[in-house]
Amino acid sequence: MGNHELFMQQALEQARKGLSEGGIPIGSVLVLDGEVVGRGHNQRVQRGSAIRHAEMDCLEEAGRLSAVDYKRSIIYSTLSPCDMCSGAILLYGIPHVVVGENQTFQGPEDYVRSRGVQVEILNNEECIRLMTEFIREKPQLWHEDIGE
Amino acid sequence: MGNHELFMQQALEQARKGLSEGGIPIGSVLVLDGEVVGRGHNQRVQRGSAIRHAEMDCLEEAGRLSAVDYKRSIIYSTLSPCDMCSGAILLYGIPHVVVGENQTFQGPEDYVRSRGVQVEILNNEECIRLMTEFIREKPQLWHEDIGE
């Protein structure tokens, strides 16, 4: 298993944790110099949050980092980052995003790439399965999360 | 004073509140059917937050709204929304952004407009003064907030 898959497993752990809390199963980790410095999962249900998508929760948990740190980090997300999370990645100049899957939802990947960010899609089967089942079971909650 | 200036005064109140707490003086309000449903200000210092820019704090305080509500709301910010905050506006389909000023910082206004959002710039002198003084006094904190 390569590094990307190993870190994606940690993002998946976060997604499963969210699901077990009754939440939306999306997880994320931020990696700096090969070490996880932030972990998070979607907190819409758990905290009644409109802004704590997985990537946002992960960045918040990582705390206040310096620009030089963000600029050599990699963010992993089990799902293609939405407009908000993509915007946070652009704000902080995170140069590399590894995405579990973009089959059940696709954020503005081309725009993010056009701003110089490397976006890699793993199409991890477990990521796809988690979201497919969740969207089937709780479509309303899912639509709320993506503003639909 | 028109409606936009009146709501901008409430965003400015939030910005001043942030400044009095030792924080970054940027404020925001979310307005639905002529009523303020969310207020917020930048929380980098106060909460050690990497994600609670004024607009994000405002959206979080407004709570979980339905898509139809977001789609008829107006968001006010004392400063031109950065990539992250612009992304949140796009995620939720907020159709109208009123910006206090874009002289001290300018977010991706053209991109936001290209996605169908109306972006109005008031160039309010008090907004410009607050940020100009703040950036002069605490340039490092300001640069951290915009990922520089």
Side-chain angles (χ1 to χ4, degrees):
Chain A
M1 200 181 276
N3 268 352
H4 282 350
E5 281 294 349
L6 279 170
F7 288 123
M8 190 54 68
Q9 289 304 317
Q10 299 204 39
L12 261 166
E13 252 173 55
Q14 287 292 314
R16 285 191 206 99
K17 194 175 170 199
L19 190 66
S20 75
E21 295 163 353
I24 302 175
I26 306 170
S28 174
V29 296
L30 184 69
V31 173
L32 188 59
D33 300 333
E35 247 181 84
V36 173
V37 295
R39 292 163 217 275
H41 53 278
N42 187 297
Q43 302 279 356
R44 178 169 296 275
V45 171
Q46 298 93 317
R47 289 177 182 248
S49 177
I51 65 170
R52 285 211 186 210
H53 276 189
E55 301 89 328
M56 306 298 290
D57 192 50
C58 170
L59 291 171
E60 188 72 327
E61 294 303 314
R64 289 170 55 179
L65 303 180
S66 68
V68 290
D69 282 343
Y70 285 120
K71 283 173 181 46
R72 57 185 222 276
S73 68
I74 307 182
I75 193 164
Y76 291 77
S77 177
T78 56
L79 185 62
S80 178
C82 77
D83 280 306
M84 173 173 68
C85 299
S86 296
I89 289 161
L90 293 171
L91 167 66
Y92 286 121
I94 297 172
H96 193 167
V97 187
V98 180
V99 174
E101 63 110 349
N102 64 0
Q103 302 296 297
T104 64
F105 174 82
Q106 189 171 4
E109 291 165 8
D110 287 341
Y111 174 65
V112 172
R113 286 194 182 100
S114 80
R115 296 276 306 268
V117 177
Q118 185 184 354
V119 182
E120 276 184 81
I121 316 292
L122 301 184
N123 279 326
N124 175 296
E125 286 185 14
E126 176 65 359
C127 293
I128 297 174
R129 193 192 61 76
L130 258 181
M131 276 310 288
T132 305
E133 288 182 7
F134 172 74
I135 293 169
R136 190 188 304 136
E137 281 169 29
K138 299 189 175 167
Q140 245 178 324
L141 181 55
W142 171 237
H143 286 132
E144 182 192 316
D145 204 52
I146 52 171
E148 284 181 0
Chain B
M1 199 181 276
N3 269 350
H4 281 351
E5 281 293 348
L6 278 170
F7 288 123
M8 190 54 68
Q9 288 304 317
Q10 299 204 39
L12 262 167
E13 254 173 54
Q14 287 292 312
R16 284 191 208 102
K17 194 175 169 198
L19 189 67
S20 75
E21 295 162 355
I24 302 175
I26 306 170
S28 173
V29 296
L30 184 69
V31 172
L32 188 58
D33 301 332
E35 247 179 86
V36 173
V37 295
R39 290 163 217 274
H41 53 277
N42 187 298
Q43 302 279 354
R44 178 169 297 274
V45 172
Q46 298 94 317
R47 289 176 182 250
S49 176
I51 65 170
R52 286 211 186 210
H53 275 189
E55 301 89 327
M56 306 297 289
D57 191 50
C58 170
L59 290 171
E60 188 71 328
E61 294 302 315
R64 288 170 57 180
L65 302 180
S66 68
V68 290
D69 282 343
Y70 286 119
K71 283 172 182 47
R72 57 184 224 278
S73 68
I74 306 181
I75 192 164
Y76 292 78
S77 177
T78 56
L79 185 64
S80 179
C82 78
D83 280 308
M84 173 174 67
C85 298
S86 296
I89 289 163
L90 293 171
L91 167 65
Y92 287 121
I94 296 172
H96 193 168
V97 188
V98 180
V99 173
E101 63 109 349
N102 65 0
Q103 302 296 298
T104 64
F105 174 82
Q106 187 170 6
E109 292 165 8
D110 288 342
Y111 174 65
V112 172
R113 286 194 182 101
S114 81
R115 295 276 306 268
V117 177
Q118 185 184 353
V119 182
E120 277 183 80
I121 317 293
L122 301 185
N123 279 325
N124 175 298
E125 286 185 14
E126 175 64 0
C127 293
I128 297 174
R129 193 191 61 77
L130 258 181
M131 277 310 287
T132 304
E133 288 182 7
F134 172 75
I135 293 169
R136 190 187 304 135
E137 281 169 29
K138 299 189 175 168
Q140 245 178 324
L141 181 55
W142 171 236
H143 287 133
E144 183 192 316
D145 203 53
I146 53 172
E148 284 181 1

